Amino acid sequence: MGDSIIAGVGVAAIEDAIVGQVAAALASDLKRRVVWSADGRSGIRARGILEQLVPHLPQGHADIVLVSAGVNDVTGLRRSRQWRLDLECLLRALETRYTGATIVMAGIPPLYRFPALPWPLRSVLGQRARRFDEIAEAVAHRRPRCLHVPTVIAREDRRFAPDGYHPSAESYETWGRALAGTISEHLRAGSRQGP
């Protein structure tokens, strides 16, 4: 759940976006069937995810909840203190709704690499994104059922959709495999530790 990354902006089909790619890679890694759904909105901030999306999440069990948030908080000039509070409230709400699920925070992408952003704005937003991602990592680290997985973007422009701002299909696939690899490791480590 989350922003335009979850909504699949930049690709023609939601299966080619991040949630579909993570699900496909997890199914392959774990040799299991993976059932998934995605709820994302372009432009939404962490507070909006909490207020607009969480109340409408399906009831029942979930093993993994993938969250993409932060870019719109960075570009919308949200204060870092408010970002921390919003994120803590969002994660708490997800942990309460899906007891036992692992909450996976996709790291905020390095905005200084986005071709659509002009210089020096790209540099300024890149520094803010780095700071906000450090906050997200610290918040996730304090929660036992939460993972923060950094987002890495290669320098090549083909890693971006034609808008120069969202991932391309190739980038979603690479990113999905990286997220799934970390999730698989986490799940395997948890099963070795037992109850």
Side-chain angles (χ1 to χ4, degrees):
M1 65 179 323
D3 54 26
S4 59
I5 298 305
I6 302 296
V9 175
V11 290
I14 194 73
E15 293 82 12
D16 296 329
I18 195 66
V19 179
Q21 294 292 346
V22 169
L26 278 175
S28 177
D29 287 354
L30 301 174
K31 310 290 187 256
R32 292 185 181 171
R33 184 167 93 77
V34 174
V35 178
W36 60 276
S37 65
D39 191 0
R41 301 220 181 122
S42 291
I44 201 164
R45 297 180 187 181
R47 175 59 60 176
I49 296 169
L50 174 64
E51 294 173 352
Q52 298 169 36
L53 303 185
V54 170
H56 303 288
L57 285 172
Q59 294 295 332
H61 176 76
D63 296 308
I64 304 293
V65 179
L66 174 62
V67 179
S68 176
V71 168
N72 299 310
D73 294 272
V74 169
T75 60
L77 303 181
R78 193 84 164 143
R79 293 185 183 273
S80 59
R81 185 174 58 85
Q82 193 59 53
W83 158 246
R84 179 187 307 272
L85 292 172
D86 291 347
L87 190 56
E88 287 171 347
C89 290
L90 172 60
L91 296 177
R92 189 176 317 113
L94 291 171
E95 289 168 339
T96 299
R97 189 164 193 114
Y98 294 115
T99 305
T102 299
I103 313 298
V104 179
M105 285 287 311
I108 299 172
L111 294 178
Y112 69 91
R113 292 243 172 111
F114 283 30
L117 297 174
W119 195 263
L121 180 61
R122 187 186 313 177
S123 175
V124 172
L125 291 178
Q127 290 171 11
R128 279 181 53 82
R130 187 176 308 117
R131 176 67 185 128
F132 275 46
D133 198 45
E134 288 169 356
I135 291 168
E137 184 176 20
V139 168
H141 185 72
R142 288 194 304 272
R143 309 187 86 80
R145 292 186 294 120
C146 192
L147 297 175
H148 172 274
V149 183
T151 297
V152 178
I153 296 177
R155 291 189 184 275
E156 301 88 19
D157 282 350
R158 73 178 188 278
R159 295 291 183 167
F160 290 88
D163 66 6
Y165 196 83
H166 293 93
S168 65
E170 177 186 359
S171 202
Y172 273 125
E173 182 181 3
T174 302
W175 189 14
R177 275 185 299 187
L179 281 163
T182 301
I183 294 166
S184 295
E185 280 180 32
H186 175 77
L187 293 175
R188 287 185 182 112
S191 67
R192 285 193 297 268
Q193 293 174 357

